[in-house]
Amino acid sequence: MKPSLVTDFAGVRLKNPLVLASGTCGFGREFSEIFDMSRLGGICSKGLTLEAKTGNRGIRIWETSAGVMNSVGLENPGVPVFIEKELPFMQTLGPRPQGPALIVNLGGHSIDDYLAGVELLNGADFDILELNISCPNVKAGGMAFGVKTEVARDVVRAVRSICKHRLMVKLSPNAEDIAALARACEEEGADAVSLVNTFLAMAIDIKKRRPVFENTYAGLSGPAIKPIALRMVHQLAGVLKIPVMGAGGITSWQDAAEFIMAGAAAVQIGTANFINPKISLDILAGLETWLESQGIADIKEIRGSV
Ligand SMILES: Cc1cc2nc3c(=O)[nH]c(=O)nc-3n(C[C@H](O)[C@H](O)[C@H](O)COP(=O)(O)O)c2cc1C
């Protein structure tokens, strides 16, 4: 018999635990031309801000030997345009709850910014709000929310008090104390956490003798970060009661299995989409075949087993 990959994630039914990570699939338009996205467990929108943003100048993506660095700077159309033009498209990706769960990723520069975004999104139909308190490429504050526990607590408390959706807080691996920060999110009423966002990193153009990125530092993702992300997911899954959505360098079904064994209820695939846009389907097929070969009837049986 085919194993079950259905996952209850903070009360949201995911048909399988595979979710496309924010910023690596836009709003699904391009991917939907390549494969049937209704086969995914979920899709996270590009990170939104209240107003449209043109993003950072200069080089935005830089390949490293084991991943990529990006300094996109949250280029996005802004929440109102998203609600009018992009969310209706995302809603066509498959029927819910049978199709992919829709996750909306929201960033901000101040608590008021977040609150204004949440207020607008409260009237919209999607499954989970992913609160991005962790983008390293936004000057003036984005990062600060995700680094200090008490600052994260304040933003989660304020957002929780008005947010009508399930609330998942996306954590930064650059946090001072990621376990304390995650517990603060849980205490303030987050329904789930996702981790990790990108690691603050740097590249130097030796010919020009200056940093590659205009903002000097940029976010590192992909295989280079996997073992560290895995450790953080394991650490948090051991101390939180709310579910964890793991991310960081997942490029194969074996990587996804590792995150689930470390305690992730679901996983996000990010950078790997740039190498093979259908990689999540390969990961799905690999997981199914492996579970079946092991005589495991339900993916829950391996969750948190390590
Ligand atoms: C080009 C690019 C853009 C990203 N944009 C966002 C974003 O807008 N919001 C966000 O929360 N994370 C963003 N991320 C982070 C990813 O969602 C993911 O957390 C991270 O890349 C780690 O997973 P990976 O190693 O599988 O890519 C971005 C990552 C990349 C590579």
Side-chain angles (χ1 to χ4, degrees), residues 21-24 45-48 61 68 70 72 74 105 130 132 134-135 170 196-198 219-223 225 247-250 268-272 274:
S22 177
T24 64
S45 76
K46 170 65 190 162
L48 301 165
I61 297 268
V68 296
N70 89 83
V72 173
L74 282 185
N105 182 288
E130 181 175 55
N132 178 11
S134 54
C135 184
K170 184 159 182 183
V196 294
N197 209 318
T198 52
L220 175 67
S221 59
I225 70 170
I250 296 174
Q268 296 183 357
I269 322 289
T271 301
F274 296 131

Side-chain angles (χ1 to χ4, degrees), residues 46-47 53 95 138-139 153 170 174 177 181 222 249 266 283 287:
K46 170 65 190 162
K53 263 171 80 66
V138 182
K139 277 189 185 161
R153 183 188 291 285
K170 184 159 182 183
N174 308 303
D177 180 342
L181 195 146
I283 293 174
L287 273 180

Side-chain angles (χ1 to χ4, degrees), residues 63-74:
E63 209 170 325
T64 76
S65 50
V68 296
M69 294 169 65
N70 89 83
S71 182
V72 173
L74 282 185

Side-chain angles (χ1 to χ4, degrees), residues 126-279:
F126 59 90
D127 299 293
I128 301 175
L129 181 77
E130 181 175 55
L131 200 66
N132 178 11
I133 59 167
S134 54
C135 184
N137 302 317
V138 182
K139 277 189 185 161
M143 181 77 137
F145 287 110
V147 173
K148 299 223 173 275
T149 301
E150 292 314 310
V151 183
R153 183 188 291 285
D154 288 347
V155 68
V156 175
R157 177 182 296 160
V159 166
R160 178 72 288 174
S161 72
I162 64 158
C163 176
K164 301 219 165 101
H165 290 91
R166 305 256 168 211
L167 181 63
M168 174 160 83
V169 183
K170 184 159 182 183
L171 305 183
S172 167
N174 308 303
E176 278 175 354
D177 180 342
I178 197 154
L181 195 146
R183 275 199 306 269
C185 295
E186 184 176 62
E187 282 162 17
E188 296 306 330
D191 298 296
V193 293
S194 51
L195 71 152
V196 294
N197 209 318
T198 52
F199 285 68
L200 205 56
M202 184 178 186
I204 293 176
D205 182 330
I206 56 169
K207 279 197 214 127
K208 295 185 183 147
R209 301 188 191 189
R210 60 176 179 79
V212 163
F213 294 101
E214 297 258 334
N215 285 346
T216 309
Y217 306 131
L220 175 67
S221 59
I225 70 170
K226 197 204 93 185
I228 316 174
L230 187 66
R231 183 265 295 170
M232 289 180 165
V233 165
H234 184 258
Q235 218 178 339
L236 294 201
V239 296
L240 297 180
K241 291 185 200 76
I242 54 176
V244 172
M245 198 177 272
I250 296 174
T251 64
S252 65
W253 68 262
Q254 290 94 333
D255 291 340
E258 279 192 68
F259 273 80
I260 293 166
M261 285 185 184
V267 294
Q268 296 183 357
I269 322 289
T271 301
N273 292 315
F274 296 131
I275 301 162
N276 170 9
K278 288 191 198 168
I279 198 139

